[in-house]
PDB file of all heavy atoms in Angstrom:
ATOM      1  N   LYS A 570     147.643  64.696  77.453  1.00 93.00           N
ATOM      2  CA  LYS A 570     147.395  64.084  78.762  1.00 93.00           C
ATOM      3  C   LYS A 570     147.188  62.591  78.573  1.00 93.00           C
ATOM      4  O   LYS A 570     146.082  62.075  78.717  1.00 93.00           O
ATOM      5  CB  LYS A 570     146.170  64.710  79.420  1.00 93.00           C
ATOM      6  CG  LYS A 570     146.364  66.167  79.825  1.00 93.00           C
ATOM      7  CD  LYS A 570     145.121  66.703  80.536  1.00 93.00           C
ATOM      8  CE  LYS A 570     145.326  68.136  80.967  1.00 93.00           C
ATOM      9  NZ  LYS A 570     144.120  68.670  81.674  1.00 93.00           N
ATOM     10  N   PRO A 571     148.224  61.869  78.243  1.00 94.00           N
ATOM     11  CA  PRO A 571     148.078  60.421  78.025  1.00 94.00           C
ATOM     12  C   PRO A 571     147.786  59.692  79.338  1.00 94.00           C
ATOM     13  O   PRO A 571     148.289  60.079  80.403  1.00 94.00           O
ATOM     14  CB  PRO A 571     149.439  60.024  77.449  1.00 94.00           C
ATOM     15  CG  PRO A 571     150.388  61.060  77.955  1.00 94.00           C
ATOM     16  CD  PRO A 571     149.616  62.327  78.031  1.00 94.00           C
ATOM     17  N   ARG A 572     146.963  58.631  79.238  1.00 92.00           N
ATOM     18  CA  ARG A 572     146.578  57.911  80.456  1.00 92.00           C
ATOM     19  C   ARG A 572     146.515  56.402  80.264  1.00 92.00           C
ATOM     20  O   ARG A 572     146.425  55.647  81.230  1.00 92.00           O
ATOM     21  CB  ARG A 572     145.212  58.423  80.936  1.00 92.00           C
ATOM     22  CG  ARG A 572     144.913  58.097  82.384  1.00 92.00           C
ATOM     23  CD  ARG A 572     143.670  58.804  82.844  1.00 92.00           C
ATOM     24  NE  ARG A 572     142.500  58.354  82.127  1.00 92.00           N
ATOM     25  CZ  ARG A 572     141.794  57.264  82.462  1.00 92.00           C
ATOM     26  NH1 ARG A 572     142.156  56.525  83.487  1.00 92.00           N
ATOM     27  NH2 ARG A 572     140.722  56.930  81.771  1.00 92.00           N
ATOM     28  N   ILE A 573     146.566  55.922  79.025  1.00 93.00           N
ATOM     29  CA  ILE A 573     146.405  54.478  78.781  1.00 93.00           C
ATOM     30  C   ILE A 573     147.542  53.680  79.409  1.00 93.00           C
ATOM     31  O   ILE A 573     147.321  52.592  79.975  1.00 93.00           O
ATOM     32  CB  ILE A 573     146.322  54.218  77.258  1.00 93.00           C
ATOM     33  CG1 ILE A 573     144.994  54.776  76.724  1.00 93.00           C
ATOM     34  CG2 ILE A 573     146.436  52.733  76.947  1.00 93.00           C
ATOM     35  CD1 ILE A 573     144.807  54.591  75.234  1.00 93.00           C
ATOM     36  N   HIS A 574     148.767  54.185  79.345  1.00 92.00           N
ATOM     37  CA  HIS A 574     149.901  53.437  79.923  1.00 92.00           C
ATOM     38  C   HIS A 574     149.744  53.299  81.436  1.00 92.00           C
ATOM     39  O   HIS A 574     150.175  52.300  82.019  1.00 92.00           O
ATOM     40  CB  HIS A 574     151.212  54.139  79.568  1.00 92.00           C
ATOM     41  CG  HIS A 574     151.359  55.488  80.198  1.00 92.00           C
ATOM     42  ND1 HIS A 574     150.733  56.626  79.723  1.00 92.00           N
ATOM     43  CD2 HIS A 574     152.074  55.883  81.302  1.00 92.00           C
ATOM     44  CE1 HIS A 574     151.045  57.660  80.467  1.00 92.00           C
ATOM     45  NE2 HIS A 574     151.858  57.249  81.444  1.00 92.00           N
ATOM     46  N   GLN A 575     149.142  54.312  82.075  1.00 92.00           N
ATOM     47  CA  GLN A 575     148.927  54.212  83.523  1.00 92.00           C
ATOM     48  C   GLN A 575     147.880  53.169  83.851  1.00 92.00           C
ATOM     49  O   GLN A 575     148.041  52.384  84.798  1.00 92.00           O
ATOM     50  CB  GLN A 575     148.506  55.576  84.083  1.00 92.00           C
ATOM     51  CG  GLN A 575     149.556  56.661  83.914  1.00 92.00           C
ATOM     52  CD  GLN A 575     149.050  58.017  84.372  1.00 92.00           C
ATOM     53  OE1 GLN A 575     147.890  58.152  84.738  1.00 92.00           O
ATOM     54  NE2 GLN A 575     149.940  59.018  84.353  1.00 92.00           N
ATOM     55  N   ALA A 576     146.789  53.120  83.072  1.00 90.00           N
ATOM     56  CA  ALA A 576     145.729  52.156  83.340  1.00 90.00           C
ATOM     57  C   ALA A 576     146.201  50.734  83.088  1.00 90.00           C
ATOM     58  O   ALA A 576     145.829  49.803  83.825  1.00 90.00           O
ATOM     59  CB  ALA A 576     144.512  52.482  82.471  1.00 90.00           C
ATOM     60  N   LEU A 577     147.042  50.542  82.048  1.00 91.00           N
ATOM     61  CA  LEU A 577     147.512  49.187  81.719  1.00 91.00           C
ATOM     62  C   LEU A 577     148.825  48.846  82.407  1.00 91.00           C
ATOM     63  O   LEU A 577     149.328  47.719  82.254  1.00 91.00           O
ATOM     64  CB  LEU A 577     147.681  49.065  80.205  1.00 91.00           C
ATOM     65  CG  LEU A 577     146.385  49.183  79.387  1.00 91.00           C
ATOM     66  CD1 LEU A 577     146.685  49.099  77.891  1.00 91.00           C
ATOM     67  CD2 LEU A 577     145.390  48.098  79.769  1.00 91.00           C
ATOM     68  N   LYS A 578     149.367  49.856  83.138  1.00 90.00           N
ATOM     69  CA  LYS A 578     150.594  49.627  83.906  1.00 90.00           C
ATOM     70  C   LYS A 578     151.737  49.142  83.009  1.00 90.00           C
ATOM     71  O   LYS A 578     152.370  48.112  83.255  1.00 90.00           O
ATOM     72  CB  LYS A 578     150.348  48.635  85.042  1.00 90.00           C
ATOM     73  CG  LYS A 578     149.310  49.103  86.055  1.00 90.00           C
ATOM     74  CD  LYS A 578     149.103  48.052  87.136  1.00 90.00           C
ATOM     75  CE  LYS A 578     148.110  48.528  88.179  1.00 90.00           C
ATOM     76  NZ  LYS A 578     146.789  48.811  87.628  1.00 90.00           N
ATOM     77  N   ILE A 579     151.947  49.904  81.938  1.00 93.00           N
ATOM     78  CA  ILE A 579     153.044  49.585  81.017  1.00 93.00           C
ATOM     79  C   ILE A 579     153.902  50.826  80.850  1.00 93.00           C
ATOM     80  O   ILE A 579     153.518  51.934  81.217  1.00 93.00           O
ATOM     81  CB  ILE A 579     152.522  49.101  79.651  1.00 93.00           C
ATOM     82  CG1 ILE A 579     151.623  50.173  79.029  1.00 93.00           C
ATOM     83  CG2 ILE A 579     151.780  47.783  79.788  1.00 93.00           C
ATOM     84  CD1 ILE A 579     151.102  49.759  77.654  1.00 93.00           C
ATOM     85  N   SER A 580     155.051  50.641  80.233  1.00 92.00           N
ATOM     86  CA  SER A 580     156.003  51.725  80.083  1.00 92.00           C
ATOM     87  C   SER A 580     155.554  52.697  78.992  1.00 92.00           C
ATOM     88  O   SER A 580     154.971  52.297  77.980  1.00 92.00           O
ATOM     89  CB  SER A 580     157.391  51.160  79.737  1.00 92.00           C
ATOM     90  OG  SER A 580     158.285  52.219  79.463  1.00 92.00           O
ATOM     91  N   ASN A 581     155.897  53.958  79.226  1.00 93.00           N
ATOM     92  CA  ASN A 581     155.574  54.993  78.251  1.00 93.00           C
ATOM     93  C   ASN A 581     156.837  55.691  77.758  1.00 93.00           C
ATOM     94  O   ASN A 581     156.785  56.796  77.222  1.00 93.00           O
ATOM     95  CB  ASN A 581     154.635  56.025  78.906  1.00 93.00           C
ATOM     96  CG  ASN A 581     154.032  56.986  77.884  1.00 93.00           C
ATOM     97  OD1 ASN A 581     153.736  56.590  76.756  1.00 93.00           O
ATOM     98  ND2 ASN A 581     153.870  58.249  78.280  1.00 93.00           N
ATOM     99  N   ALA A 582     157.969  55.008  77.910  1.00 91.00           N
ATOM    100  CA  ALA A 582     159.234  55.628  77.490  1.00 91.00           C
ATOM    101  C   ALA A 582     159.325  55.740  75.978  1.00 91.00           C
ATOM    102  O   ALA A 582     159.896  56.694  75.444  1.00 91.00           O
ATOM    103  CB  ALA A 582     160.421  54.825  78.037  1.00 91.00           C
TER     104      ALA A 582
END
Side-chain angles (χ1 to χ4, degrees):
K570 292 183 179 180
R572 199 171 64 84
I573 291 179
H574 66 281
Q575 298 175 356
L577 295 178
K578 299 179 178 61
I579 58 179
S580 174
N581 191 36

